[in-house]
Amino acid sequence: MKDKEAQDLIREASHTPITRKDVRKSWFYYYLFAEMGISYERLQALGFTTSMIPILRKLYPNKKDFAEALQRHLIFYNTEAVFGAPINGVVIAMEEQKAKGEPIEGNGITGMKTGLMGPLAGIGDSIDWATLKPIIFGLGASLSATGNILGAFILLLLPLIQIIIGLNLSVAGYETGKASIKDLLQSGKIKQLITSASTLGLFMMGALSSTYVEVSTPIQFSFGSETEPFVLQEVLDSIVPGLLPLAVVLGIYWWLLKKNQNFAIIMLLIIAVALIGAITGIL
């Protein structure tokens, strides 16, 4: 028997197999803790990592491997918890294959999460919060207005439906992901998958930046009473829409890359620049 085959057998025997129950339990933990410990730096990453701890303990008995797995899941993550459940299953499947010695890199798992979280969040927000919630809450309000005691309990339908959907989607993601990953590994396309997922993740982070970062300037000049004022923001928008927010994002990225990754300092710098800009009328 070759050395690599022997190592694979030892590695595979060193961790406990993942079951459907494990996948469902992991997602349920995420459902409970997704909105806890939220920060602008990580958003749902702490809740996701908490849900993955029992899985990772099974897969990585070695403390170093376990610590590395925790670190890669502490990176920024945010999606809709219910319809984003397939991500949980796919990630568990990828971690399981990685623990068995398959050539899956940590950034491939991170890229997969980042690439899927935006599209699934859009689906979940549209179905879960924009459709199911108004219907159920409207029904509860109607029953309560007529004095029906069921109006107080009808609201429990929303979490009940969410839990049923999430439990099933997480298992579906795990089983589909497990089969897909095996096919990809056999075809040698895992590097293409990692590159594609990482690229999609970059697009999603860019979309998030353009959505949440808002910077504009009120500066304008007048060159005579009969001429239209020169509005700097309009000129910037005509060159590249969102140029100032882009400059801010790139500036923060440069700081993280070249200076340090102390987010407290970055926040203080942003507040200082915002205050100076507001006082001087530049921003």
Side-chain angles (χ1 to χ4, degrees):
M1 183 180 290
K2 297 180 180 180
D3 291 341
K4 185 179 183 304
E5 293 178 351
Q7 291 175 1
D8 290 342
L9 287 174
I10 293 172
R11 190 181 290 110
E12 189 167 346
S14 65
H15 69 265
T16 308
I18 302 300
T19 65
R20 285 186 173 188
K21 182 179 179 181
D22 295 326
V23 177
R24 292 191 180 101
K25 185 184 293 186
S26 177
W27 175 82
F28 187 66
Y29 285 161
Y30 170 66
Y31 176 76
L32 294 177
F33 303 126
E35 303 298 329
M36 295 184 181
I38 278 185
S39 67
Y40 284 112
E41 178 186 354
R42 304 182 192 276
L43 282 183
Q44 296 179 356
L46 289 176
F48 187 93
T49 305
T50 300
S51 72
M52 288 293 295
I53 288 176
I55 298 290
L56 298 177
R57 286 195 186 280
K58 278 191 170 186
L59 296 177
Y60 301 108
N62 182 282
K63 288 186 177 181
K64 182 180 178 181
D65 295 336
F66 177 69
E68 289 178 356
L70 289 178
Q71 288 176 357
R72 64 174 159 264
H73 290 298
L74 285 172
I75 297 173
F76 178 94
Y77 180 73
N78 188 45
T79 192
E80 200 278 322
V82 179
F83 285 84
I87 300 176
N88 298 61
V90 171
V91 168
I92 292 172
M94 294 184 74
E95 290 285 4
E96 186 176 25
Q97 296 302 312
K98 180 176 175 60
K100 290 180 179 180
E102 300 292 355
I104 297 176
E105 298 179 6
N107 62 355
I109 299 175
T110 303
M112 181 68 71
K113 287 170 58 182
T114 307
L116 292 176
M117 69 183 187
L120 292 182
I123 295 172
D125 289 339
S126 299
I127 297 176
D128 206 357
W129 301 105
T131 304
L132 288 176
K133 184 177 179 180
I135 292 174
I136 294 173
F137 277 50
L139 178 60
S142 300
L143 291 173
S144 298
T146 60
N148 193 325
I149 194 172
L150 289 177
F153 299 98
I154 201 73
L155 304 183
L156 297 176
L157 278 177
L158 181 62
L160 179 61
I161 293 173
Q162 288 177 332
I163 291 171
I164 292 172
I165 293 174
L167 291 174
N168 286 279
L169 286 181
S170 61
V171 172
Y174 171 71
E175 294 179 344
T176 303
K178 193 173 181 180
S180 301
I181 292 164
K182 284 183 178 179
D183 293 340
L184 286 167
L185 289 170
Q186 292 172 358
S187 65
K189 294 183 178 180
I190 189 66
K191 289 186 177 180
Q192 296 179 16
L193 172 65
I194 292 171
T195 302
S196 301
S198 299
T199 302
L200 180 58
L202 289 174
F203 275 108
M204 293 308 304
M205 293 306 295
L208 287 171
S209 299
S210 64
T211 301
Y212 289 104
V213 180
E214 296 183 8
V215 183
S216 61
T217 177
I219 295 176
Q220 59 182 17
F221 304 97
S222 296
F223 298 99
S225 58
E226 297 180 358
T227 61
E228 292 290 331
F230 176 84
V231 182
L232 180 58
Q233 185 63 52
E234 293 180 357
V235 175
L236 294 176
D237 289 340
S238 66
I239 299 172
V240 177
L243 182 59
L244 288 179
L246 176 62
V248 170
V249 173
L250 291 178
I252 294 174
Y253 176 76
W254 174 84
W255 183 275
L256 289 170
L257 195 64
K258 300 294 184 181
K259 298 295 183 179
N260 61 63
Q261 296 186 4
N262 191 321
F263 289 92
I265 292 177
I266 293 175
M267 289 180 63
L268 290 174
L269 285 174
I270 293 173
I271 293 172
V273 171
L275 288 174
I276 294 172
I279 292 172
T280 59
I282 297 174
L283 300 175

